[in-house]
Amino acid sequence: EAETERRLGALLTRATGASDLTLPPPTKGGDLETQHHILQLNYRHVSAELARKSAIGEGLAHARDALVARAEAAEEAVRTARSAARAEARERTEAAAQRLSSQAGDLAALEEALSILRRDLAEGRMQAADQDTAGR
């Protein structure tokens, strides 16, 4: 883009210089009619060159606009994808936290049940030992 701007500036400078054309030296044309013909040819050449460069410049401007639009669309797609990924990660984190909380509750219940079983088992052994001792 900077290169295009530089080229366009150089072209405009040359075109501006062409408007300041003076009559060619006498060696190029001995009379005014010949000099006028030479200037017309120069003008046509400069005009054609300016038209060609202007068309190229317009084409580059359109291409630049298209690339900017594509870049903006890509940036928007990236923002959307990031947002979706963050939402999904947040949902997964919440689900994992809920599972962990549920499992922690289950673990506490299992530990309580194990404690009760151990207590019951210990009491059962003591009763069995008391019965054995009483039976002897």
Side-chain angles (χ1 to χ4, degrees):
E1 188 175 83
E3 178 67 18
T4 303
E5 297 279 343
R6 186 188 63 74
R7 287 181 183 175
L8 186 57
L11 175 66
L12 291 175
T13 303
R14 282 185 290 197
T16 304
S19 68
D20 295 334
L21 287 176
T22 57
L23 291 175
T27 58
K28 295 273 183 165
D31 59 4
L32 285 178
E33 186 177 327
T34 306
Q35 290 177 356
H36 179 66
H37 179 66
I38 291 171
L39 286 175
Q40 282 180 329
L41 292 175
N42 285 343
Y43 177 77
R44 286 185 202 146
H45 174 73
V46 169
S47 294
E49 187 70 14
L50 179 60
R52 187 177 74 82
K53 299 281 177 142
S54 294
I56 290 171
E58 288 176 14
L60 290 174
H62 289 300
R64 181 197 64 215
D65 292 343
L67 287 173
V68 166
R70 283 180 56 197
E72 289 172 351
E75 288 173 349
E76 182 61 30
V78 166
R79 279 193 293 273
T80 302
R82 281 184 187 159
S83 177
R86 285 183 187 132
E88 183 181 346
R90 191 172 27 256
E91 289 172 6
R92 286 183 179 184
T93 301
E94 290 172 2
Q98 288 176 353
R99 281 193 308 270
L100 184 61
S101 175
S102 174
Q103 289 173 351
D106 292 346
L107 180 60
L110 287 173
E111 287 176 342
E112 178 66 26
L114 181 61
S115 174
I116 291 170
L117 281 174
R118 285 182 180 156
R119 189 184 65 223
D120 288 348
L121 184 60
E123 288 176 3
R125 283 186 193 159
M126 286 203 271
Q127 287 177 0
D130 285 344
Q131 288 174 359
D132 284 341
T133 328
R136 289 188 197 168

